[in-house]
Amino acid sequence: MLFHRQAASVIMLMLVISQVLPYCFGESEAVSRFRREWEEAKDFPPNQKEAIEKLSREMTVEAASVIAEVGFSEETSYEGSQAAFDALVRMYTTAIVKWIAEQVHSHKDWKVRAVMARVLARHADPDTAPGLIKALQDKKWEVRLAAVKALENLPATREIIDALIAQIQKEEGRLAYEISDTLGELTGMKGINNADDWKNWWGKNKDTWVAPSRKCDPYGQTADPSKGFQTVPDSPIYGKLKTKKVVFVVDTSASMKTKGRWGEGKKEM
């Protein structure tokens, strides 16, 4: 037993060293080679894609950091940025995922923070929840939205529900709608739409709530308005309005003369 513990300790130490060593002695040869290839591929998107894919095979935090550094800059082509995103999704190791979960709320570039959240959405690793919850406080709504959608893919926990219900009280428009939609997915309560209704429901059910089996019950539970959860009805014609910023398009073509019947009274319109 002691031998196995010592062996495990040695393996863990070697993994840590493999991640830290490049930073102690400068960039690795793989990264140095990548930078030369990247410079040459500046004006040729297929070569950018190839260089990123080659570096991603290193599976180190150093390689992931460099890919994030160059992959999402304004100078990088669409092909290069897409290759960088795909590479970060493929580079699934404990150390890399932990690093990404830190970058999602600490990276200086908000565009990278948003991308990191979208990467974590693809990983769906429960250990990334704390980092994504921190990202809910980001100044940029794009980052907050990406964090919300990433949390939707994680197993539902009280900590996640707590954070989302607290955040929906601060949001409006599309973000409030997206948080409500995510809460519906995580809790199974698909009929609640309003921030106050979510707060009231959670206050009554938090202590006894059990996360639903989302695989066995994909449609979830529909909230009963008579129980006092829902107070704001959806628009009968336009459905759910996701944002306060809207564009009205007035169609005066002949097809608009078509008549039909609407509502319980079947009123002609």
Side-chain angles (χ1 to χ4, degrees):
M1 180 66 71
L2 179 60
F3 172 77
H4 290 304
R5 288 180 179 175
Q6 290 175 336
S9 298
V10 170
I11 292 173
M12 182 61 68
L13 180 61
M14 291 175 66
L15 288 172
V16 172
I17 291 174
S18 68
Q19 298 294 331
V20 174
L21 201 59
Y23 299 101
C24 297
F25 299 96
E27 291 185 337
S28 65
E29 174 57 32
V31 169
S32 297
R33 183 171 60 252
F34 168 80
R35 291 199 185 279
R36 293 193 296 270
E37 293 175 354
W38 187 257
E39 186 63 27
E40 295 173 357
K42 183 181 300 183
D43 300 317
F44 195 50
N47 285 5
Q48 288 185 349
K49 180 175 182 290
E50 183 179 351
I52 287 174
E53 290 176 345
K54 188 185 300 182
L55 180 60
S56 70
R57 300 186 193 115
E58 295 298 308
M59 299 294 285
T60 64
V61 171
E62 180 199 21
S65 175
V66 173
I67 288 173
E69 171 194 331
V70 304
F72 309 109
S73 70
E74 294 183 358
E75 294 77 23
T76 302
S77 66
Y78 171 80
E79 290 89 340
S81 293
Q82 186 61 50
F85 178 84
D86 293 340
L88 291 172
V89 171
R90 287 195 307 271
M91 297 172 77
Y92 194 93
T93 70
T94 300
I96 291 174
V97 172
K98 181 179 180 181
W99 176 80
I100 293 175
E102 292 172 353
Q103 299 305 304
V104 77
H105 62 83
S106 64
H107 198 281
K108 62 182 180 180
D109 187 341
W110 72 265
K111 293 187 291 296
V112 175
R113 297 197 299 273
V115 169
M116 292 303 189
R118 290 196 289 272
V119 170
L120 292 181
R122 298 284 291 275
H123 285 321
D125 189 323
D127 291 338
T128 64
L132 289 167
I133 288 174
K134 286 184 180 180
L136 292 177
Q137 307 301 317
D138 202 280
K139 292 181 180 180
K140 301 292 290 186
W141 70 266
E142 293 92 340
V143 179
R144 301 200 302 275
L145 175 60
V148 168
K149 302 315 291 182
L151 287 168
E152 184 176 312
N153 290 335
L154 301 185
T157 65
R158 282 185 174 82
E159 290 74 19
I160 292 176
I161 305 303
D162 267 335
L164 289 171
I165 288 181
Q167 192 62 30
I168 198 175
Q169 310 303 315
K170 308 173 186 177
E171 303 287 2
E172 60 181 19
R174 181 188 173 190
L175 254 174
Y177 171 85
E178 294 291 353
I179 294 176
S180 180
D181 189 55
T182 292
L183 283 167
E185 289 292 332
L186 293 174
T187 64
M189 301 297 291
K190 298 293 183 70
I192 306 177
N193 301 311
N194 180 267
D196 288 337
D197 295 339
W198 275 115
K199 185 177 181 180
N200 293 336
W201 174 79
W202 191 234
K204 295 176 182 178
N205 295 276
K206 179 178 179 179
D207 294 337
T208 58
W209 176 77
V210 177
S213 174
R214 295 163 72 190
K215 289 184 178 180
C216 298
D217 186 19
Y219 299 104
Q221 177 184 354
T222 300
D224 182 355
S226 66
K227 294 181 179 179
F229 298 148
Q230 186 170 8
T231 58
V232 181
D234 296 334
S235 167
I237 296 178
Y238 301 105
K240 295 179 181 178
L241 299 180
K242 299 182 181 181
T243 178
K244 291 185 176 180
K245 297 179 180 179
V246 298
V247 175
F248 289 94
V249 179
V250 181
D251 186 349
T252 61
S253 64
S255 64
M256 292 296 99
K257 295 181 180 180
T258 300
K259 294 182 178 181
R261 296 188 179 276
W262 181 268
E264 294 181 2
K266 300 300 181 183
K267 182 180 180 181
E268 188 175 86
M269 298 178 66

